mmCIF file of all heavy atoms in Angstrom:
data_model
loop_
_atom_site.group_PDB
_atom_site.id
_atom_site.type_symbol
_atom_site.label_atom_id
_atom_site.label_comp_id
_atom_site.label_asym_id
_atom_site.label_seq_id
_atom_site.Cartn_x
_atom_site.Cartn_y
_atom_site.Cartn_z
ATOM 1 N N ILE A 782 10.771 11.223 -14.657
ATOM 2 C CA ILE A 782 9.754 12.015 -13.950
ATOM 3 C C ILE A 782 8.819 12.730 -14.922
ATOM 4 O O ILE A 782 8.049 13.601 -14.527
ATOM 5 C CB ILE A 782 10.398 13.058 -12.995
ATOM 6 C CG1 ILE A 782 11.398 13.959 -13.737
ATOM 7 C CG2 ILE A 782 11.052 12.368 -11.809
ATOM 8 C CD1 ILE A 782 11.878 15.147 -12.915
ATOM 9 N N GLN A 786 12.566 14.302 -18.543
ATOM 10 C CA GLN A 786 13.547 14.583 -17.485
ATOM 11 C C GLN A 786 13.635 13.411 -16.518
ATOM 12 O O GLN A 786 12.784 12.533 -16.509
ATOM 13 C CB GLN A 786 13.173 15.867 -16.749
ATOM 14 C CG GLN A 786 13.056 17.079 -17.658
ATOM 15 C CD GLN A 786 14.340 17.412 -18.379
ATOM 16 O OE1 GLN A 786 15.431 17.127 -17.900
ATOM 17 N NE2 GLN A 786 14.230 18.013 -19.556
ATOM 18 N N THR A 787 14.685 13.418 -15.698
ATOM 19 C CA THR A 787 14.852 12.342 -14.721
ATOM 20 C C THR A 787 15.169 12.921 -13.339
ATOM 21 O O THR A 787 15.689 14.023 -13.223
ATOM 22 C CB THR A 787 16.028 11.413 -15.102
ATOM 23 O OG1 THR A 787 17.195 12.208 -15.316
ATOM 24 C CG2 THR A 787 15.729 10.606 -16.344
ATOM 25 N N ILE A 788 14.828 12.147 -12.323
ATOM 26 C CA ILE A 788 15.309 12.425 -10.972
ATOM 27 C C ILE A 788 16.645 11.687 -10.903
ATOM 28 O O ILE A 788 16.746 10.523 -11.288
ATOM 29 C CB ILE A 788 14.303 11.945 -9.902
ATOM 30 C CG1 ILE A 788 14.823 12.167 -8.480
ATOM 31 C CG2 ILE A 788 13.922 10.486 -10.081
ATOM 32 C CD1 ILE A 788 13.749 11.882 -7.399
ATOM 33 N N SER A 789 17.703 12.375 -10.490
ATOM 34 C CA SER A 789 19.054 11.799 -10.547
ATOM 35 C C SER A 789 19.225 10.652 -9.564
ATOM 36 O O SER A 789 18.426 10.467 -8.639
ATOM 37 C CB SER A 789 20.094 12.872 -10.242
ATOM 38 O OG SER A 789 19.821 14.050 -10.952
ATOM 39 N N GLN A 794 23.506 12.492 -6.274
ATOM 40 C CA GLN A 794 23.030 13.683 -5.574
ATOM 41 C C GLN A 794 23.730 13.825 -4.226
ATOM 42 O O GLN A 794 24.057 14.926 -3.798
ATOM 43 C CB GLN A 794 21.514 13.606 -5.375
ATOM 44 C CG GLN A 794 20.760 13.688 -6.702
ATOM 45 C CD GLN A 794 19.267 13.787 -6.513
ATOM 46 O OE1 GLN A 794 18.706 13.123 -5.635
ATOM 47 N NE2 GLN A 794 18.605 14.579 -7.323
ATOM 48 N N GLU A 811 19.233 26.434 -6.261
ATOM 49 C CA GLU A 811 19.335 25.231 -7.084
ATOM 50 C C GLU A 811 18.783 25.548 -8.469
ATOM 51 O O GLU A 811 17.728 26.166 -8.578
ATOM 52 C CB GLU A 811 18.516 24.082 -6.475
ATOM 53 C CG GLU A 811 18.618 22.803 -7.324
ATOM 54 C CD GLU A 811 17.648 21.706 -6.926
ATOM 55 O OE1 GLU A 811 16.476 22.016 -6.639
ATOM 56 O OE2 GLU A 811 18.043 20.536 -6.912
ATOM 57 N N ILE A 812 19.508 25.135 -9.512
ATOM 58 C CA ILE A 812 19.018 25.301 -10.886
ATOM 59 C C ILE A 812 18.620 23.922 -11.403
ATOM 60 O O ILE A 812 19.452 23.015 -11.448
ATOM 61 C CB ILE A 812 20.109 25.896 -11.809
ATOM 62 C CG1 ILE A 812 20.746 27.148 -11.192
ATOM 63 C CG2 ILE A 812 19.527 26.179 -13.196
ATOM 64 C CD1 ILE A 812 19.804 28.259 -10.872
ATOM 65 N N GLY A 813 17.351 23.754 -11.784
ATOM 66 C CA GLY A 813 16.858 22.456 -12.243
ATOM 67 C C GLY A 813 16.152 21.727 -11.117
ATOM 68 O O GLY A 813 16.663 20.764 -10.552
ATOM 69 N N THR A 814 14.945 22.188 -10.778
ATOM 70 C CA THR A 814 14.182 21.583 -9.670
ATOM 71 C C THR A 814 13.815 20.142 -9.984
ATOM 72 O O THR A 814 13.835 19.286 -9.093
ATOM 73 C CB THR A 814 12.868 22.373 -9.435
ATOM 74 O OG1 THR A 814 13.151 23.755 -9.433
ATOM 75 C CG2 THR A 814 12.205 21.962 -8.136
ATOM 76 N N GLY A 815 13.450 19.880 -11.255
ATOM 77 C CA GLY A 815 13.008 18.540 -11.641
ATOM 78 C C GLY A 815 11.877 18.086 -10.746
ATOM 79 O O GLY A 815 10.840 18.738 -10.635
ATOM 80 N N SER A 816 12.079 16.977 -10.058
ATOM 81 C CA SER A 816 11.052 16.420 -9.173
ATOM 82 C C SER A 816 10.891 17.211 -7.873
ATOM 83 O O SER A 816 9.882 17.108 -7.198
ATOM 84 C CB SER A 816 11.437 14.987 -8.804
ATOM 85 O OG SER A 816 12.608 15.007 -7.992
ATOM 86 N N GLY A 817 11.936 17.941 -7.488
ATOM 87 C CA GLY A 817 11.925 18.644 -6.207
ATOM 88 C C GLY A 817 12.634 17.881 -5.098
ATOM 89 O O GLY A 817 12.830 18.391 -3.991
ATOM 90 N N TYR A 818 13.050 16.640 -5.391
ATOM 91 C CA TYR A 818 13.664 15.814 -4.340
ATOM 92 C C TYR A 818 14.985 16.404 -3.834
ATOM 93 O O TYR A 818 15.196 16.528 -2.621
ATOM 94 C CB TYR A 818 13.886 14.394 -4.866
ATOM 95 C CG TYR A 818 14.601 13.474 -3.892
ATOM 96 C CD1 TYR A 818 14.006 13.139 -2.677
ATOM 97 C CD2 TYR A 818 15.854 12.950 -4.186
ATOM 98 C CE1 TYR A 818 14.650 12.293 -1.784
ATOM 99 C CE2 TYR A 818 16.498 12.097 -3.297
ATOM 100 C CZ TYR A 818 15.900 11.777 -2.100
ATOM 101 O OH TYR A 818 16.532 10.945 -1.222
ATOM 102 N N GLN A 819 15.863 16.789 -4.775
ATOM 103 C CA GLN A 819 17.142 17.342 -4.325
ATOM 104 C C GLN A 819 16.945 18.672 -3.593
ATOM 105 O O GLN A 819 17.657 18.978 -2.641
ATOM 106 C CB GLN A 819 18.081 17.536 -5.515
ATOM 107 C CG GLN A 819 19.451 18.036 -5.113
ATOM 108 C CD GLN A 819 20.447 17.873 -6.238
ATOM 109 O OE1 GLN A 819 21.160 16.887 -6.336
ATOM 110 N NE2 GLN A 819 20.460 18.846 -7.108
ATOM 111 N N ALA A 820 15.936 19.434 -4.018
ATOM 112 C CA ALA A 820 15.613 20.681 -3.326
ATOM 113 C C ALA A 820 15.223 20.374 -1.871
ATOM 114 O O ALA A 820 15.603 21.094 -0.946
ATOM 115 C CB ALA A 820 14.482 21.406 -4.045
ATOM 116 N N VAL A 833 15.068 26.875 -9.159
ATOM 117 C CA VAL A 833 14.519 27.386 -10.421
ATOM 118 C C VAL A 833 14.354 26.241 -11.423
ATOM 119 O O VAL A 833 15.276 25.460 -11.635
ATOM 120 C CB VAL A 833 15.455 28.456 -11.036
ATOM 121 C CG1 VAL A 833 14.794 29.096 -12.262
ATOM 122 C CG2 VAL A 833 15.834 29.515 -10.011
ATOM 123 N N GLU A 834 13.182 26.162 -12.044
ATOM 124 C CA GLU A 834 12.896 25.126 -13.045
ATOM 125 C C GLU A 834 12.310 25.799 -14.293
ATOM 126 O O GLU A 834 11.420 26.619 -14.193
ATOM 127 C CB GLU A 834 11.914 24.096 -12.462
ATOM 128 C CG GLU A 834 11.372 23.084 -13.439
ATOM 129 C CD GLU A 834 12.463 22.287 -14.177
ATOM 130 O OE1 GLU A 834 13.322 21.700 -13.508
ATOM 131 O OE2 GLU A 834 12.450 22.283 -15.426
ATOM 132 N N ARG A 835 12.804 25.403 -15.478
ATOM 133 C CA ARG A 835 12.323 26.050 -16.709
ATOM 134 C C ARG A 835 11.028 25.439 -17.249
ATOM 135 O O ARG A 835 10.301 26.086 -17.981
ATOM 136 C CB ARG A 835 13.395 26.073 -17.802
ATOM 137 C CG ARG A 835 13.811 24.718 -18.305
ATOM 138 C CD ARG A 835 14.856 24.843 -19.414
ATOM 139 N NE ARG A 835 14.268 25.236 -20.687
ATOM 140 C CZ ARG A 835 13.764 24.372 -21.572
ATOM 141 N NH1 ARG A 835 13.756 23.081 -21.320
ATOM 142 N NH2 ARG A 835 13.268 24.802 -22.701
ATOM 143 N N VAL A 836 10.744 24.179 -16.880
ATOM 144 C CA VAL A 836 9.510 23.529 -17.359
ATOM 145 C C VAL A 836 8.406 23.743 -16.316
ATOM 146 O O VAL A 836 8.488 23.242 -15.193
ATOM 147 C CB VAL A 836 9.731 22.017 -17.588
ATOM 148 C CG1 VAL A 836 8.445 21.352 -18.068
ATOM 149 C CG2 VAL A 836 10.862 21.787 -18.592
ATOM 150 N N LEU A 839 6.742 20.790 -14.428
ATOM 151 C CA LEU A 839 7.622 20.170 -13.424
ATOM 152 C C LEU A 839 7.695 21.047 -12.176
ATOM 153 O O LEU A 839 7.647 20.544 -11.043
ATOM 154 C CB LEU A 839 9.035 19.964 -13.997
ATOM 155 C CG LEU A 839 9.198 18.882 -15.070
ATOM 156 C CD1 LEU A 839 10.639 18.845 -15.564
ATOM 157 C CD2 LEU A 839 8.790 17.509 -14.524
ATOM 158 N N GLY A 860 11.459 29.659 -14.388
ATOM 159 C CA GLY A 860 12.200 30.565 -15.253
ATOM 160 C C GLY A 860 13.489 29.934 -15.735
ATOM 161 O O GLY A 860 13.716 28.731 -15.554
ATOM 162 N N ASP A 861 14.322 30.758 -16.374
ATOM 163 C CA ASP A 861 15.609 30.309 -16.897
ATOM 164 C C ASP A 861 16.685 30.476 -15.818
ATOM 165 O O ASP A 861 17.136 31.582 -15.544
ATOM 166 C CB ASP A 861 15.965 31.135 -18.149
ATOM 167 C CG ASP A 861 17.343 30.789 -18.698
ATOM 168 O OD1 ASP A 861 17.981 29.844 -18.183
ATOM 169 O OD2 ASP A 861 17.782 31.472 -19.642
ATOM 170 N N GLY A 862 17.078 29.360 -15.253
ATOM 171 C CA GLY A 862 18.048 29.388 -14.162
ATOM 172 C C GLY A 862 19.457 29.780 -14.580
ATOM 173 O O GLY A 862 20.283 30.072 -13.709
ATOM 174 N N THR A 863 19.752 29.823 -15.893
ATOM 175 C CA THR A 863 21.104 30.261 -16.286
ATOM 176 C C THR A 863 21.273 31.761 -15.990
ATOM 177 O O THR A 863 22.382 32.274 -16.012
ATOM 178 C CB THR A 863 21.418 29.989 -17.780
ATOM 179 O OG1 THR A 863 20.618 30.821 -18.616
ATOM 180 C CG2 THR A 863 21.202 28.526 -18.136
ATOM 181 N N ALA A 878 21.796 21.366 -11.504
ATOM 182 C CA ALA A 878 21.482 19.945 -11.699
ATOM 183 C C ALA A 878 21.332 19.583 -13.167
ATOM 184 O O ALA A 878 20.708 18.588 -13.508
ATOM 185 C CB ALA A 878 20.207 19.593 -10.932
ATOM 186 N N ALA A 879 21.891 20.406 -14.063
ATOM 187 C CA ALA A 879 21.874 20.117 -15.502
ATOM 188 C C ALA A 879 23.206 20.586 -16.059
ATOM 189 O O ALA A 879 23.834 21.500 -15.513
ATOM 190 C CB ALA A 879 20.707 20.839 -16.177
ATOM 191 N N VAL A 931 21.419 15.879 -17.904
ATOM 192 C CA VAL A 931 20.558 16.393 -18.975
ATOM 193 C C VAL A 931 21.014 17.822 -19.269
ATOM 194 O O VAL A 931 21.603 18.483 -18.419
ATOM 195 C CB VAL A 931 19.055 16.354 -18.580
ATOM 196 C CG1 VAL A 931 18.605 14.941 -18.296
ATOM 197 C CG2 VAL A 931 18.767 17.259 -17.396
ATOM 198 N N PRO A 932 20.760 18.306 -20.511
ATOM 199 C CA PRO A 932 21.281 19.620 -20.879
ATOM 200 C C PRO A 932 20.651 20.781 -20.099
ATOM 201 O O PRO A 932 19.443 20.777 -19.834
ATOM 202 C CB PRO A 932 20.952 19.740 -22.373
ATOM 203 C CG PRO A 932 20.277 18.499 -22.782
ATOM 204 C CD PRO A 932 20.084 17.619 -21.608
ATOM 205 N N LEU A 933 21.505 21.729 -19.764
ATOM 206 C CA LEU A 933 21.070 23.007 -19.205
ATOM 207 C C LEU A 933 20.672 23.870 -20.406
ATOM 208 O O LEU A 933 21.507 24.191 -21.257
ATOM 209 C CB LEU A 933 22.234 23.645 -18.438
ATOM 210 C CG LEU A 933 21.979 24.986 -17.765
ATOM 211 C CD1 LEU A 933 21.013 24.833 -16.590
ATOM 212 C CD2 LEU A 933 23.298 25.599 -17.277
ATOM 213 N N VAL A 934 19.388 24.208 -20.474
ATOM 214 C CA VAL A 934 18.856 24.915 -21.642
ATOM 215 C C VAL A 934 18.508 26.339 -21.235
ATOM 216 O O VAL A 934 17.766 26.546 -20.277
ATOM 217 C CB VAL A 934 17.588 24.194 -22.168
ATOM 218 C CG1 VAL A 934 16.944 24.990 -23.294
ATOM 219 C CG2 VAL A 934 17.942 22.787 -22.644
ATOM 220 N N GLY A 935 19.055 27.318 -21.967
ATOM 221 C CA GLY A 935 18.719 28.695 -21.623
ATOM 222 C C GLY A 935 19.694 29.674 -22.225
ATOM 223 O O GLY A 935 20.567 29.297 -23.017
HETATM 224 N N1 SAH B 1122 17.414 17.870 -9.118
HETATM 225 C C1 SAH B 1122 16.347 17.206 -9.832
HETATM 226 C C2 SAH B 1122 16.787 16.589 -11.130
HETATM 227 C C3 SAH B 1122 17.065 17.640 -12.132
HETATM 228 S S1 SAH B 1122 17.073 17.099 -13.801
HETATM 229 C C4 SAH B 1122 15.681 16.169 -8.964
HETATM 230 O O1 SAH B 1122 16.082 15.956 -7.821
HETATM 231 O O2 SAH B 1122 14.710 15.568 -9.435
HETATM 232 C C5 SAH B 1122 17.486 18.674 -14.508
HETATM 233 C C6 SAH B 1122 16.355 19.686 -14.550
HETATM 234 O O3 SAH B 1122 16.914 20.907 -15.015
HETATM 235 C C7 SAH B 1122 15.224 19.344 -15.497
HETATM 236 O O4 SAH B 1122 14.008 19.357 -14.801
HETATM 237 C C8 SAH B 1122 15.259 20.480 -16.534
HETATM 238 O O5 SAH B 1122 13.983 20.860 -16.993
HETATM 239 C C9 SAH B 1122 15.912 21.589 -15.746
HETATM 240 N N2 SAH B 1122 16.557 22.661 -16.493
HETATM 241 C C10 SAH B 1122 17.304 22.591 -17.635
HETATM 242 N N3 SAH B 1122 17.733 23.825 -17.989
HETATM 243 C C11 SAH B 1122 17.247 24.696 -17.057
HETATM 244 C C12 SAH B 1122 17.344 26.122 -16.862
HETATM 245 N N4 SAH B 1122 18.014 26.923 -17.702
HETATM 246 N N5 SAH B 1122 16.734 26.663 -15.789
HETATM 247 C C13 SAH B 1122 16.035 25.893 -14.923
HETATM 248 N N6 SAH B 1122 15.904 24.548 -15.046
HETATM 249 C C14 SAH B 1122 16.509 23.963 -16.100
#
Side-chain angles (χ1 to χ4, degrees):
I782 55 170
Q786 303 299 332
T787 53
I788 177 172
S789 314
Q794 293 187 320
E811 180 190 42
I812 310 302
T814 314
S816 67
Y818 176 64
Q819 183 165 267
V833 187
E834 171 56 54
R835 64 179 283 273
V836 179
L839 289 178
D861 176 6
T863 68
V931 299
L933 181 69
V934 174

